[in-house]
């Protein structure tokens, strides 16, 4: 399903301002540096289009602003006040959810021990469920590494974040692709004139 | 439910194939919406979004997204501390579609009319019909995980009542019982879980089961989003697909930014000029651009994904481009500032050589 146009436009607006900053920054960059700058500004613009409501966007911005070079860019795209607010929120958030996750783990572990003592179940069932659980935990770990800020989330919010992240990635790709197509087309038509 | 059919003619225009089921689902969704108005502050707004469902979604489908995004806030922006999702129209539309389908599947099960009006998870259902109606329960349980031992007694008493009513197996009587428990659901922000026949009913497994069903519901949404996932059964395989999809999307972003870097000698993107110039030549995009792109595709690993994407490109592009033109009106002469001769990227020159 295609993302709504309002989101696309917001992303485009923020990305444009970010790119303008980039161009004013340095005149001679290699292609890789340019690519990194473009990607960074696109990512930050996408994350800021979420207005700090999702965990992955906050984590992405936090990671981006860790690097001092990028901090200025991030600040510009976000707007100063939002940047400060996000700084405060993103510092708090991971620690809070970390605690929650740890408490849940302790609770689960204690529940598990109780249940193991009381019940007597056929071993095959346990085996199958163990295998399944191991598979899914391995994959959840991979997913956590993919989604920015995923390591701090529990399963439920991880899935929600993935959902939102996938949607925004698709929006980002749509916008970038159309821009790239447009640019190349214009370039080609220009060169054909000469 | 029948008399309400006349008051909702809109649904018929949108989902003609699901007439009766759509009407039923609309009715049920309206009732749930009333339920949800009580604890909107407690609700996880994502689930509130899913509950938002068909009536709101119908409006959204008709009117412009912006005006409705502003109209929708009371359901979404519940306090800064919660994990709130933006009023994402795509999610709402998808949820609406999903709720219609879910209710359509539910309508096939005979005794599932009543539980859908409560916050309880219906008993003999697959994950699907349970999903829409269990949202209030899930939203409440989000806040009540630390309190799970407390409401367990309430749960047990609720369950006993519900189990008795279930045993009678009369839909009317169970409807009344469900109405009672629905009122309780409004007052108490507790998880109402109906115990299935032969399942353990202690609080731990209840909480565990509620959590599992929550996760399953979310996974179903994800399955819808990721192409080709709906046929797969089994969490591990679905997760595999999701991981692949996210990885391919991230690779695409990298690839596209490389493309843009190659095309633009400096990063000053004269977007306005490009888009203004674009207005004329949007139609012959796909035919001209596609053969150009094939050699570059070898850079990325995920070939099939790209092929699909290119084909999809043709359709959304024109609509989006036209919309952009309304915002960016610039003179043609700004194009001249676009400097193509100064660039040194070899990739770019390969581009042009391909053309000639």
């Amino acid at each position: 399903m295609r993302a709504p146009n309002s989101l696309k436009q917001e992303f485009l607006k923020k990305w444009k301002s970010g790119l303008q900053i980039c161009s004013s920054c340095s005149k001679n960059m290699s292609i890789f540096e340019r690519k990194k700058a473009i990607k960074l500004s696109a990512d930050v613009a996408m994350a800021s289009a979420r207005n700090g409501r999702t965990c992955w966007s906050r984590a992405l911005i936090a990671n981006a602003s860790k690097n001092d070079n990028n901090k200025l860019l991030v600040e510009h795209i976000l707007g100063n006040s939002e940047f400060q607010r996000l700084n405060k929120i993103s510092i708090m958030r991971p620690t809070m959810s970390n605690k929650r996750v740890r408490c849940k783990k302790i609770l689960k572990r204690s529940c598990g021990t109780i249940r193991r003592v009381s019940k007597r179940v056929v071993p095959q069932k346990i085996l199958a469920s163990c295998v399944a659980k191991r598979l899914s935990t391995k994959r959840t770990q991979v997913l956590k590494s993919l989604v920015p800020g995923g390591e701090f989330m529990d399963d439920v919010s991880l899935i929600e974040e993935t959902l939102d992240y996938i949607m925004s990635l698709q929006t980002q790709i749509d916008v970038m692709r159309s821009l790239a197509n447009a640019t190349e087309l214009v370039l080609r038509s220009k060169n054909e004139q000469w | 439910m029948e008399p309400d059919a006349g008051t909702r003619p809109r649904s018929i225009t949108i989902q003609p194939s699901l007439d009766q089921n759509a009407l039923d689902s609309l009715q049920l969704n309206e009732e749930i919406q009333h339920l949800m108005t009580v604890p909107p502050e407690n609700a996880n707004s994502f689930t509130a979004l899913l509950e938002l469902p068909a009536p709101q979604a119908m409006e959204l489908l008709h009117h412009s997204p912006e005006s409705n995004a502003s109209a929708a806030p009371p359901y979404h922006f519940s306090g800064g501390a919660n994990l709130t999702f933006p009023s994402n129209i795509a999610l709402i539309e998808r949820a609406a579609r999903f709720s219609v389908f879910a209710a359509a599947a539910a309508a096939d099960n005979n005794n599932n009319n009543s539980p859908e009006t409560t916050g309880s998870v219906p008993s003999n259902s697959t994950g699907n019909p349970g999903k829409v109606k269990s949202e209030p329960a899930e939203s409440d349980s989000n806040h009540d995980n630390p309190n799970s031992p407390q409401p367990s007694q309430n749960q047990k008493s609720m369950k006993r009542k519900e189990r008795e009513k279930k045993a009678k197996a009369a839909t009317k009587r169970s409807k009344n019982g469900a109405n009672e428990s629905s009122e309780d659901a409004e007052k108490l922000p507790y998880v109402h879980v109906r115990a299935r026949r032969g399942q353990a009913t202690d609080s731990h497994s209840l909480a565990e089961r509620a959590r599992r069903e929550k996760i399953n519901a979310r996974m179903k949404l994800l399955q819808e989003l990721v192409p080709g996932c709906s046929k797969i059964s089994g969490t591990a395989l679905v997760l595999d697909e999701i991981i692949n999809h996210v990885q391919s999307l991230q690779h695409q972003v990298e690839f596209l930014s490389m493309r843009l870097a190659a095309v633009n000698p400096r990063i000053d993107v004269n977007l306005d000029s490009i888009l203004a110039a674009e207005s004329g030549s949007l139609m012959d995009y796909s035919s001209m651009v596609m053969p150009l792109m094939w050699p570059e595709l070898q850079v990325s690993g995920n070939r099939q994904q790209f092929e699909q994407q290119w084909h999809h490109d043709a359709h959304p592009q024109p609509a989006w481009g036209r919309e952009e033109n309304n915002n960016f009106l610039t003179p043609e002469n700004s194009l001249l500032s676009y400097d193509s001769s100064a660039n040194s990227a070899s990739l770019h020159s390969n581009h042009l050589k391909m053309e000639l």
Side-chain angles (χ1 to χ4, degrees), chain B residues 46-275:
Chain B
F46 180 80
T47 56
L49 216 156
L50 288 170
E51 272 315 304
L52 220 273
Q56 279 262 354
M58 295 307 181
E59 286 173 12
L60 290 167
L61 284 170
H62 281 298
H63 302 302
S64 66
E66 283 82 10
S67 59
N68 275 316
S70 54
Y75 290 97
H76 305 307
F77 303 106
S78 58
N82 281 341
L83 176 68
T84 60
F85 275 88
S87 53
N88 198 334
I89 312 302
L91 275 176
I92 295 173
E93 289 175 353
R94 194 177 349 109
R97 249 196 280 135
F98 194 81
S99 62
V100 170
F101 290 144
D108 297 340
N109 299 339
N110 294 337
N111 12 330
N112 274 341
N113 272 333
S114 52
E116 288 160 356
T117 62
T118 73
S120 57
V121 176
S123 53
N124 53 350
S125 58
T126 60
N128 221 343
K131 179 222 153 253
V132 174
K133 316 310 169 196
S134 64
E135 285 314 315
E138 297 172 7
S139 64
D140 298 334
S141 70
N142 254 341
H143 266 263
D144 282 82
N145 276 332
N147 300 336
S148 52
Q150 270 184 12
S152 61
Q153 292 91 12
N154 285 339
Q155 287 177 10
K156 282 186 180 154
S157 58
M158 290 298 311
K159 263 194 331 281
R160 236 177 282 129
K161 225 192 321 174
E162 292 171 1
R163 237 182 291 158
E164 288 167 11
K165 300 214 155 76
K166 237 190 1 161
K168 287 166 189 168
T171 47
K172 253 194 195 167
R173 252 181 251 143
S174 56
K175 239 190 230 177
N176 290 337
N179 283 337
E180 276 182 41
S181 51
S182 75
E183 291 170 24
D184 288 338
E186 286 185 34
K187 292 171 198 160
L188 313 166
Y190 293 141
V191 178
H192 293 298
V193 183
R194 183 163 292 188
R196 300 181 205 190
R197 194 183 165 82
Q199 280 195 347
T201 58
D202 56 323
S203 63
H204 293 308
S205 49
L206 271 180
E208 182 75 25
R209 203 181 324 135
R211 178 179 162 272
R212 250 184 285 142
E213 300 194 354
K214 223 196 299 183
I215 291 184
N216 285 337
R218 304 279 190 277
M219 292 283 293
K220 287 241 160 36
L221 273 186
L222 263 181
Q223 270 184 303
E224 264 209 358
L225 190 60
V226 175
C229 234
S230 36
K231 301 166 196 155
I232 303 179
S233 61
T235 319
L237 296 173
V238 168
L239 278 175
D240 267 345
E241 279 300 317
I242 292 171
I243 288 173
N244 282 338
H245 190 68
V246 171
Q247 276 174 341
S248 75
L249 287 178
Q250 286 177 339
H251 289 324
Q252 280 185 38
V253 170
E254 293 257 348
F255 177 64
L256 279 171
S257 58
M258 179 62 111
R259 240 178 86 185
L260 277 171
V263 161
N264 281 320
R266 315 174 306 251
I267 309 187
D268 56 347
V269 182
N270 285 324
L271 279 176
D272 308 342
S273 62
I274 291 168
L275 291 163

Side-chain angles (χ1 to χ4, degrees), chain A residues 1 5 9 16 34-35 50 53 93 139 155 160 165 177-179 181 183-184 187-188 190, chain B residues 81 84 86 97 211 218 236 240 250 252 254 259 261 264 271 313 317 320 323 338 348 355:
Chain A
M1 137 172 288
N5 286 326
Q9 285 175 22
K16 250 207 310 183
R34 258 184 284 149
K35 168 222 163 196
R50 277 279 170 248
R53 280 184 230 122
R93 271 281 161 182
R139 281 161 179 75
D155 281 346
E160 292 177 0
Y165 185 55
R177 186 183 297 131
S178 40
L179 180 65
N181 288 342
T183 322
E184 284 157 2
L187 208 60
R188 202 169 353 111
K190 264 194 72 187
Chain B
T84 60
R97 249 196 280 135
R211 178 179 162 272
R218 304 279 190 277
D240 267 345
Q250 286 177 339
Q252 280 185 38
E254 293 257 348
R259 240 178 86 185
N264 281 320
L271 279 176
D313 257 348
Q317 292 295 10
W320 187 66
E323 200 173 316
Y338 195 81
H348 179 61
E355 278 310 296

Side-chain angles (χ1 to χ4, degrees), chain A residues 47-78:
Chain A
S48 69
R50 277 279 170 248
N51 288 329
R53 280 184 230 122
T54 51
C55 196
W56 68 265
S57 59
R58 290 192 292 263
L60 203 148
I61 292 178
N63 285 337
S65 31
K66 269 187 214 161
N67 191 354
D68 284 330
N69 301 344
N70 306 334
K71 218 170 181 178
L72 200 61
L73 171 66
V74 176
E75 234 181 274
H76 177 86
I77 293 184
L78 284 180

